[in-house]
Coordinates of all heavy atoms in Angstrom, one line a residue:
R1 N -7.1 -5.2 -20.7 CA -6.7 -6.5 -21.1 C -7.4 -7.6 -20.3 O -7.8 -8.6 -20.9 CB -5.2 -6.5 -20.8 CG -4.4 -7.7 -21.2 CD -3.0 -7.7 -20.9 NE -2.3 -6.5 -21.2 CZ -1.0 -6.4 -21.1 NH1 -0.3 -7.4 -20.8 NH2 -0.4 -5.2 -21.3
W2 N -7.7 -7.4 -19.0 CA -8.3 -8.4 -18.3 C -9.9 -8.2 -18.2 O -10.6 -9.0 -17.6 CB -7.8 -8.4 -16.8 CG -6.4 -8.8 -16.8 CD1 -5.8 -10.0 -17.2 CD2 -5.3 -8.0 -16.4 NE1 -4.5 -10.0 -17.0 CE2 -4.1 -8.8 -16.6 CE3 -5.1 -6.7 -16.0 CZ2 -2.8 -8.3 -16.3 CZ3 -3.9 -6.2 -15.7 CH2 -2.7 -7.0 -15.8
Q3 N -10.4 -7.1 -18.8 CA -11.8 -6.8 -18.7 C -12.6 -7.9 -19.4 O -13.7 -8.2 -18.9 CB -12.1 -5.5 -19.4 CG -11.6 -4.3 -18.6 CD -10.1 -4.0 -18.7 OE1 -9.4 -4.6 -19.4 NE2 -9.7 -3.1 -17.9
A4 N -12.1 -8.6 -20.3 CA -12.9 -9.7 -21.0 C -13.1 -10.8 -20.0 O -14.1 -11.6 -20.3 CB -12.1 -10.2 -22.2
L5 N -12.4 -10.9 -19.0 CA -12.6 -12.0 -18.0 C -13.7 -11.7 -17.0 O -14.1 -12.6 -16.3 CB -11.3 -12.3 -17.3 CG -10.1 -12.8 -18.2 CD1 -8.9 -12.9 -17.4 CD2 -10.4 -14.1 -18.9
R6 N -14.2 -10.5 -17.0 CA -15.1 -10.1 -15.9 C -16.4 -10.9 -16.0 O -17.1 -11.1 -15.0 CB -15.5 -8.6 -16.0 CG -14.5 -7.8 -15.3 CD -15.1 -6.4 -15.2 NE -14.6 -5.7 -16.3 CZ -14.7 -4.4 -16.4 NH1 -15.3 -3.7 -15.5 NH2 -14.2 -3.7 -17.4
D7 N -16.8 -11.4 -17.2 CA -18.1 -12.1 -17.4 C -18.0 -13.5 -16.8 O -19.0 -14.2 -16.8 CB -18.4 -12.2 -18.9 CG -18.7 -10.8 -19.4 OD1 -19.1 -9.9 -18.6 OD2 -18.6 -10.6 -20.7
R8 N -16.8 -14.0 -16.5 CA -16.6 -15.3 -16.0 C -16.3 -15.2 -14.5 O -15.6 -14.3 -14.0 CB -15.5 -16.0 -16.7 CG -15.7 -16.1 -18.2 CD -14.5 -16.6 -18.9 NE -14.8 -16.4 -20.3 CZ -14.5 -17.3 -21.2 NH1 -13.9 -18.4 -20.8 NH2 -14.7 -17.1 -22.4
R9 N -16.7 -16.2 -13.7 CA -16.4 -16.2 -12.3 C -15.0 -16.9 -12.1 O -14.9 -18.1 -12.2 CB -17.4 -17.0 -11.5 CG -17.1 -16.8 -10.0 CD -18.2 -17.4 -9.2 NE -18.1 -17.0 -7.8 CZ -17.2 -17.6 -6.9 NH1 -16.5 -18.6 -7.4 NH2 -17.1 -17.2 -5.7
I10 N -14.0 -16.0 -11.9 CA -12.7 -16.5 -11.7 C -12.2 -16.0 -10.4 O -12.3 -14.8 -10.1 CB -11.7 -16.0 -12.9 CG1 -12.2 -16.5 -14.2 CG2 -10.3 -16.4 -12.6 CD1 -11.5 -15.9 -15.4
R11 N -11.8 -16.9 -9.6 CA -11.3 -16.6 -8.2 C -9.8 -16.9 -8.2 O -9.5 -18.0 -8.6 CB -12.1 -17.3 -7.2 CG -11.8 -17.0 -5.8 CD -12.7 -17.7 -4.9 NE -12.1 -17.8 -3.5 CZ -11.5 -18.9 -3.0 NH1 -11.5 -20.0 -3.7 NH2 -11.0 -18.8 -1.8
G12 N -9.0 -16.0 -7.7 CA -7.6 -16.4 -7.7 C -6.9 -15.6 -6.5 O -7.5 -14.8 -5.8
I13 N -5.7 -16.0 -6.3 CA -4.8 -15.4 -5.3 C -3.6 -14.8 -6.0 O -3.1 -15.4 -6.9 CB -4.4 -16.4 -4.2 CG1 -3.6 -15.7 -3.1 CG2 -3.7 -17.6 -4.8 CD1 -3.3 -16.6 -1.9
W14 N -3.3 -13.6 -5.6 CA -2.1 -13.0 -6.1 C -1.1 -12.7 -4.9 O -1.4 -12.0 -4.0 CB -2.4 -11.6 -6.7 CG -1.3 -11.0 -7.4 CD1 -0.3 -10.2 -6.9 CD2 -0.9 -11.3 -8.8 NE1 0.6 -9.9 -7.9 CE2 0.3 -10.5 -9.0 CE3 -1.4 -12.0 -9.8 CZ2 0.9 -10.6 -10.3 CZ3 -0.8 -12.0 -11.0 CH2 0.4 -11.3 -11.3
I15 N 0.0 -13.4 -4.9 CA 1.0 -13.3 -3.8 C 2.1 -12.4 -4.3 O 2.7 -12.7 -5.3 CB 1.5 -14.7 -3.4 CG1 0.4 -15.6 -2.9 CG2 2.6 -14.5 -2.3 CD1 0.8 -17.0 -2.7
S16 N 2.2 -11.3 -3.7 CA 3.1 -10.2 -4.2 C 4.2 -10.1 -3.2 O 4.0 -10.1 -2.0 CB 2.3 -8.9 -4.3 OG 3.2 -7.9 -4.7
G17 N 5.4 -9.9 -3.7 CA 6.5 -9.6 -2.8 C 6.5 -8.1 -2.3 O 6.0 -7.3 -3.1
D18 N 7.0 -7.8 -1.2 CA 7.0 -6.5 -0.7 C 7.9 -5.5 -1.5 O 7.8 -4.3 -1.4 CB 7.3 -6.4 0.8 CG 8.7 -7.0 1.1 OD1 9.3 -7.6 0.2 OD2 9.2 -6.8 2.2
L19 N 8.7 -6.1 -2.4 CA 9.5 -5.3 -3.3 C 9.0 -5.3 -4.7 O 9.7 -4.8 -5.6 CB 11.0 -5.8 -3.3 CG 11.6 -5.8 -1.9 CD1 13.0 -6.5 -2.0 CD2 11.7 -4.4 -1.3
D20 N 7.8 -5.8 -5.0 CA 7.3 -5.8 -6.4 C 7.1 -4.3 -6.9 O 6.7 -3.4 -6.2 CB 5.9 -6.4 -6.4 CG 6.0 -7.9 -6.6 OD1 7.1 -8.4 -6.6 OD2 5.0 -8.6 -6.7
Q21 N 7.5 -4.2 -8.1 CA 7.4 -2.9 -8.8 C 6.0 -2.7 -9.4 O 5.3 -3.6 -9.7 CB 8.4 -2.8 -9.9 CG 9.9 -2.9 -9.4 CD 10.2 -1.8 -8.5 OE1 10.0 -0.6 -8.8 NE2 10.8 -2.1 -7.4
P22 N 5.6 -1.4 -9.5 CA 4.3 -1.1 -10.1 C 4.3 -1.6 -11.6 O 5.3 -1.7 -12.2 CB 4.2 0.4 -10.1 CG 5.1 0.8 -9.0 CD 6.2 -0.2 -9.0
F23 N 3.1 -2.0 -12.0 CA 2.8 -2.5 -13.4 C 2.6 -1.4 -14.4 O 1.7 -0.6 -14.2 CB 1.6 -3.4 -13.3 CG 1.2 -4.0 -14.6 CD1 2.0 -4.8 -15.3 CD2 -0.1 -3.7 -15.1 CE1 1.6 -5.3 -16.5 CE2 -0.5 -4.3 -16.3 CZ 0.3 -5.1 -17.0
G24 N 3.5 -1.3 -15.4 CA 3.4 -0.3 -16.4 C 3.5 1.1 -15.8 O 4.2 1.3 -14.8
D25 N 2.7 2.0 -16.3 CA 2.7 3.4 -15.8 C 1.5 3.7 -14.9 O 1.3 4.8 -14.7 CB 2.8 4.4 -17.0 CG 1.6 4.2 -17.9 OD1 0.8 3.3 -17.7 OD2 1.5 5.0 -18.9
T26 N 0.8 2.7 -14.5 CA -0.4 2.9 -13.7 C 0.0 3.2 -12.2 O -0.9 3.7 -11.5 CB -1.3 1.6 -13.7 OG1 -0.6 0.5 -13.1 CG2 -1.7 1.3 -15.1
G27 N 1.2 2.8 -11.7 CA 1.5 2.9 -10.4 C 0.9 1.9 -9.5 O 0.9 1.9 -8.3
K28 N 0.3 0.9 -10.1 CA -0.4 -0.2 -9.4 C 0.4 -1.5 -9.6 O 1.0 -1.7 -10.6 CB -1.8 -0.4 -9.8 CG -2.7 0.8 -9.7 CD -4.0 0.6 -10.3 CE -4.8 1.9 -10.3 NZ -5.9 1.9 -11.1
T29 N 0.2 -2.5 -8.6 CA 0.8 -3.8 -8.9 C -0.1 -4.6 -9.8 O -1.3 -4.2 -10.0 CB 1.0 -4.5 -7.6 OG1 -0.3 -4.8 -7.0 CG2 1.8 -3.8 -6.6
K30 N 0.4 -5.6 -10.3 CA -0.5 -6.5 -11.2 C -1.7 -7.0 -10.5 O -2.8 -7.0 -11.0 CB 0.3 -7.6 -11.8 CG 1.4 -7.2 -12.7 CD 2.3 -8.3 -13.2 CE 3.4 -7.9 -14.0 NZ 4.3 -9.0 -14.4
G31 N -1.5 -7.4 -9.2 CA -2.7 -7.9 -8.4 C -3.7 -6.8 -8.3 O -4.9 -7.1 -8.4
Q32 N -3.3 -5.5 -8.0 CA -4.3 -4.5 -7.9 C -5.0 -4.2 -9.2 O -6.2 -4.0 -9.2 CB -3.6 -3.2 -7.4 CG -3.1 -3.2 -6.0 CD -2.2 -2.0 -5.7 OE1 -1.4 -1.6 -6.6 NE2 -2.3 -1.5 -4.5
A33 N -4.3 -4.3 -10.3 CA -4.9 -4.1 -11.6 C -5.9 -5.2 -11.9 O -7.0 -4.9 -12.4 CB -3.8 -4.0 -12.7
L34 N -5.7 -6.4 -11.5 CA -6.6 -7.5 -11.7 C -7.9 -7.3 -10.9 O -9.0 -7.5 -11.4 CB -6.0 -8.9 -11.4 CG -4.9 -9.4 -12.4 CD1 -4.2 -10.5 -11.7 CD2 -5.5 -9.8 -13.7
A35 N -7.7 -6.9 -9.6 CA -8.8 -6.7 -8.7 C -9.7 -5.6 -9.3 O -10.9 -5.6 -9.3 CB -8.4 -6.4 -7.3
E36 N -9.1 -4.5 -9.7 CA -9.8 -3.3 -10.2 C -10.5 -3.6 -11.5 O -11.5 -2.9 -11.9 CB -8.9 -2.1 -10.3 CG -8.6 -1.6 -8.9 CD -7.7 -0.4 -9.0 OE1 -7.5 0.2 -10.1 OE2 -7.2 0.0 -7.9
A37 N -10.0 -4.6 -12.3 CA -10.7 -5.0 -13.5 C -11.9 -5.9 -13.3 O -12.6 -6.2 -14.2 CB -9.7 -5.8 -14.4
G38 N -12.2 -6.2 -12.0 CA -13.4 -6.9 -11.7 C -13.2 -8.3 -11.4 O -14.2 -9.1 -11.1
L39 N -12.0 -8.8 -11.3 CA -11.7 -10.2 -11.0 C -11.7 -10.4 -9.5 O -11.3 -9.5 -8.8 CB -10.4 -10.6 -11.6 CG -10.3 -10.6 -13.1 CD1 -8.9 -10.8 -13.6 CD2 -11.3 -11.6 -13.7
E40 N -12.2 -11.5 -9.0 CA -12.2 -11.8 -7.6 C -10.8 -12.3 -7.2 O -10.5 -13.5 -7.4 CB -13.2 -12.9 -7.3 CG -13.5 -13.1 -5.9 CD -14.5 -14.2 -5.6 OE1 -15.4 -14.4 -6.5 OE2 -14.5 -14.7 -4.5
V41 N -10.0 -11.4 -6.8 CA -8.6 -11.7 -6.5 C -8.3 -11.4 -5.1 O -8.5 -10.3 -4.6 CB -7.6 -10.9 -7.4 CG1 -6.2 -11.1 -7.1 CG2 -7.9 -11.2 -8.9
E42 N -7.7 -12.3 -4.3 CA -7.3 -12.1 -3.0 C -5.8 -11.7 -3.1 O -5.0 -12.4 -3.6 CB -7.4 -13.3 -2.1 CG -7.0 -13.2 -0.7 CD -7.2 -14.4 0.1 OE1 -8.2 -15.1 -0.1 OE2 -6.3 -14.7 0.9
L43 N -5.5 -10.5 -2.6 CA -4.1 -10.0 -2.6 C -3.4 -10.3 -1.3 O -4.0 -10.0 -0.2 CB -4.1 -8.5 -2.8 CG -4.9 -8.0 -4.0 CD1 -4.9 -6.5 -4.0 CD2 -4.2 -8.5 -5.3
Q44 N -2.3 -10.9 -1.4 CA -1.5 -11.3 -0.2 C -0.1 -10.7 -0.4 O 0.5 -10.9 -1.4 CB -1.4 -12.8 0.0 CG -2.7 -13.4 0.4 CD -3.2 -13.0 1.8 OE1 -2.4 -12.7 2.7 NE2 -4.5 -12.9 2.0
L45 N 0.4 -10.1 0.7 CA 1.8 -9.6 0.6 C 2.8 -10.5 1.3 O 2.5 -10.9 2.5 CB 1.8 -8.2 1.3 CG 3.2 -7.5 1.3 CD1 3.6 -7.2 -0.2 CD2 3.1 -6.2 2.1
M46 N 3.8 -10.8 0.7 CA 4.9 -11.7 1.2 C 6.1 -10.8 1.5 O 6.6 -10.2 0.6 CB 5.2 -12.8 0.2 CG 6.2 -13.7 0.7 SD 6.6 -15.1 -0.4 CE 7.2 -14.2 -1.8
E47 N 6.4 -10.8 2.8 CA 7.6 -10.0 3.2 C 8.8 -10.9 3.2 O 8.8 -12.0 3.7 CB 7.4 -9.4 4.6 CG 6.2 -8.5 4.6 CD 6.0 -7.9 6.0 OE1 6.9 -8.0 6.9 OE2 4.9 -7.3 6.2
S48 N 9.9 -10.3 2.6 CA 11.1 -11.1 2.5 C 12.3 -10.2 2.2 O 12.2 -9.2 1.4 CB 11.0 -12.1 1.4 OG 12.2 -12.8 1.2
R49 N 13.4 -10.5 2.7 CA 14.7 -9.8 2.4 C 15.3 -10.2 1.1 O 16.3 -9.7 0.6 CB 15.6 -9.9 3.5 CG 16.1 -11.3 3.7 CD 17.0 -11.4 5.0 NE 17.3 -12.8 5.2 CZ 18.6 -13.2 5.3 NH1 19.6 -12.4 5.2 NH2 18.8 -14.5 5.5
Y50 N 14.7 -11.3 0.4 CA 15.3 -11.8 -0.8 C 14.8 -11.2 -2.1 O 15.1 -11.7 -3.2 CB 15.0 -13.3 -0.8 CG 15.6 -14.1 0.3 CD1 14.8 -14.7 1.3 CD2 17.0 -14.2 0.5 CE1 15.4 -15.3 2.4 CE2 17.6 -14.8 1.6 CZ 16.7 -15.4 2.5 OH 17.3 -16.1 3.6
G51 N 13.9 -10.2 -2.0 CA 13.4 -9.6 -3.2 C 12.6 -10.6 -4.1 O 11.9 -11.4 -3.6
H52 N 12.8 -10.5 -5.4 CA 12.1 -11.4 -6.3 C 12.4 -12.9 -6.0 O 11.6 -13.8 -6.3 CB 12.4 -11.1 -7.8 CG 11.6 -11.9 -8.7 ND1 10.3 -11.7 -8.9 CD2 12.0 -12.9 -9.5 CE1 9.8 -12.6 -9.8 NE2 10.8 -13.3 -10.2
D53 N 13.6 -13.2 -5.6 CA 14.0 -14.6 -5.3 C 13.2 -15.2 -4.1 O 13.3 -16.4 -3.9 CB 15.5 -14.7 -5.0 CG 16.3 -14.5 -6.3 OD1 15.8 -14.6 -7.4 OD2 17.5 -14.2 -6.1
A54 N 12.4 -14.4 -3.4 CA 11.6 -14.9 -2.3 C 10.7 -16.0 -2.8 O 10.4 -16.9 -2.1 CB 10.8 -13.8 -1.7
F55 N 10.3 -15.9 -4.1 CA 9.4 -17.0 -4.6 C 10.0 -18.3 -4.7 O 9.4 -19.4 -4.7 CB 8.8 -16.5 -5.9 CG 7.8 -15.4 -5.8 CD1 8.3 -14.1 -6.0 CD2 6.5 -15.6 -5.4 CE1 7.4 -13.0 -5.9 CE2 5.7 -14.5 -5.3 CZ 6.1 -13.3 -5.5
L56 N 11.3 -18.3 -4.7 CA 12.1 -19.6 -4.7 C 12.5 -20.0 -3.3 O 12.7 -21.2 -3.0 CB 13.4 -19.4 -5.5 CG 13.2 -19.0 -7.0 CD1 14.5 -18.6 -7.6 CD2 12.5 -20.1 -7.7
L57 N 12.6 -19.1 -2.3 CA 13.2 -19.4 -1.0 C 12.2 -19.3 0.1 O 12.4 -20.0 1.1 CB 14.3 -18.4 -0.7 CG 15.4 -18.3 -1.8 CD1 16.3 -17.2 -1.6 CD2 16.2 -19.6 -1.7
E58 N 11.1 -18.6 0.0 CA 10.1 -18.5 1.1 C 8.9 -19.4 0.9 O 7.8 -19.0 0.9 CB 9.6 -17.0 1.2 CG 10.7 -16.0 1.4 CD 11.2 -16.0 2.9 OE1 10.7 -16.7 3.7 OE2 12.0 -15.1 3.2
T59 N 9.2 -20.7 0.7 CA 8.1 -21.6 0.4 C 7.1 -21.8 1.6 O 5.9 -22.0 1.3 CB 8.7 -23.0 0.0 OG1 9.5 -23.5 1.1 CG2 9.5 -22.9 -1.3
G60 N 7.6 -21.6 2.8 CA 6.7 -21.7 3.9 C 5.6 -20.6 3.9 O 4.4 -20.9 4.1
Q61 N 6.0 -19.4 3.6 CA 5.0 -18.3 3.5 C 4.1 -18.5 2.3 O 2.9 -18.3 2.5 CB 5.8 -16.9 3.2 CG 6.3 -16.3 4.4 CD 6.7 -14.8 4.1 OE1 5.8 -14.0 4.0 NE2 8.0 -14.6 4.0
I62 N 4.6 -18.9 1.2 CA 3.8 -19.1 0.0 C 2.7 -20.2 0.3 O 1.5 -20.1 0.0 CB 4.6 -19.5 -1.2 CG1 5.5 -18.3 -1.6 CG2 3.7 -20.0 -2.3 CD1 6.5 -18.6 -2.6
N63 N 3.2 -21.3 0.9 CA 2.3 -22.4 1.2 C 1.2 -22.0 2.2 O 0.0 -22.4 2.0 CB 3.1 -23.6 1.9 CG 3.9 -24.3 0.8 OD1 3.7 -24.2 -0.4 ND2 4.9 -25.1 1.3
R64 N 1.5 -21.2 3.2 CA 0.5 -20.7 4.1 C -0.6 -19.9 3.4 O -1.8 -20.0 3.7 CB 1.1 -19.9 5.3 CG 1.7 -20.8 6.4 CD 2.1 -20.0 7.6 NE 3.1 -19.0 7.3 CZ 4.4 -19.3 7.3 NH1 4.8 -20.5 7.4 NH2 5.2 -18.3 7.1
H65 N -0.1 -19.0 2.5 CA -1.1 -18.1 1.8 C -2.0 -19.0 0.9 O -3.2 -18.8 0.9 CB -0.3 -17.1 0.9 CG 0.3 -16.0 1.6 ND1 -0.4 -15.2 2.5 CD2 1.5 -15.5 1.7 CE1 0.4 -14.3 3.0 NE2 1.6 -14.5 2.5
I66 N -1.4 -20.0 0.2 CA -2.3 -20.8 -0.6 C -3.2 -21.7 0.2 O -4.4 -21.8 -0.2 CB -1.3 -21.7 -1.5 CG1 -0.6 -20.8 -2.5 CG2 -2.2 -22.7 -2.3 CD1 0.5 -21.5 -3.3
E67 N -2.7 -22.3 1.3 CA -3.6 -23.1 2.1 C -4.8 -22.3 2.7 O -5.9 -22.7 2.6 CB -2.8 -23.7 3.3 CG -1.9 -24.8 2.9 CD -0.9 -25.2 4.0 OE1 -1.0 -24.7 5.1 OE2 -0.1 -26.1 3.7
N68 N -4.5 -21.0 3.1 CA -5.6 -20.2 3.6 C -6.6 -19.8 2.5 O -7.8 -19.8 2.7 CB -5.0 -18.9 4.2 CG -4.3 -19.2 5.5 OD1 -4.6 -20.2 6.2 ND2 -3.4 -18.3 5.9
F69 N -6.1 -19.6 1.3 CA -6.9 -19.2 0.2 C -7.8 -20.4 -0.2 O -9.0 -20.2 -0.4 CB -6.1 -18.9 -1.0 CG -6.9 -18.7 -2.3 CD1 -7.6 -17.5 -2.5 CD2 -6.8 -19.6 -3.3 CE1 -8.3 -17.4 -3.6 CE2 -7.5 -19.5 -4.4 CZ -8.3 -18.3 -4.6
L70 N -7.3 -21.6 -0.2 CA -8.1 -22.8 -0.6 C -9.1 -23.1 0.5 O -10.1 -23.8 0.1 CB -7.2 -24.0 -0.8 CG -6.3 -23.8 -2.0 CD1 -5.3 -25.0 -2.1 CD2 -7.1 -23.7 -3.3
Q71 N -9.0 -22.7 1.7 CA -10.0 -23.0 2.8 C -11.2 -22.1 2.7 O -12.2 -22.4 3.3 CB -9.3 -22.9 4.1 CG -8.3 -24.1 4.4 CD -7.6 -23.9 5.7 OE1 -8.0 -23.1 6.5 NE2 -6.6 -24.8 5.9
I72 N -11.0 -20.9 2.0 CA -12.1 -20.0 1.9 C -13.1 -20.5 0.8 O -12.7 -20.8 -0.3 CB -11.6 -18.6 1.6 CG1 -10.7 -18.1 2.7 CG2 -12.8 -17.6 1.3 CD1 -10.0 -16.8 2.3
D73 N -14.3 -20.5 1.1 CA -15.3 -21.0 0.1 C -16.2 -19.9 -0.4 O -16.6 -19.0 0.1 CB -16.1 -22.1 0.7 CG -16.9 -22.9 -0.4 OD1 -16.5 -22.8 -1.6 OD2 -17.8 -23.6 0.0

């Protein structure tokens, strides 16, 4: 599905919660699948006791990951 994007230079960050489930039947997370499809993806793990709701509650962690990503050239 993401193979068509390989011809374009796309750089992104994938912030995954430590409780994220594997994507489909591959046993991989979505971020891992994007990276293996050839996209330039920085994978970051966010640890939280809030599960999926961490994306709503752990704004400090998310902000740090994004700030670090944007500083890399």
Side-chain angles (χ1 to χ4, degrees):
R1 182 179 320 187
W2 297 295
Q3 286 78 7
L5 298 175
R6 273 193 270 192
D7 296 336
R8 301 170 191 226
R9 185 169 191 282
I10 299 173
R11 185 175 159 259
I13 183 172
W14 188 271
I15 302 172
S16 177
D18 58 350
L19 300 176
D20 274 3
Q21 297 296 314
F23 176 59
D25 59 357
T26 65
K28 301 172 187 170
T29 65
K30 293 176 185 176
Q32 289 170 324
L34 289 168
E36 289 181 7
L39 297 172
E40 189 178 338
V41 177
E42 180 179 321
L43 304 174
Q44 292 293 331
L45 181 64
M46 181 175 65
E47 296 179 14
S48 176
R49 63 187 176 122
Y50 299 112
H52 183 73
D53 288 341
F55 291 97
L56 301 171
L57 302 170
E58 299 282 4
T59 56
Q61 276 193 77
I62 293 170
N63 288 343
R64 279 190 300 279
H65 286 305
I66 293 171
E67 287 170 2
N68 291 336
F69 172 77
L70 293 175
Q71 291 177 10
I72 298 171
D73 196 16

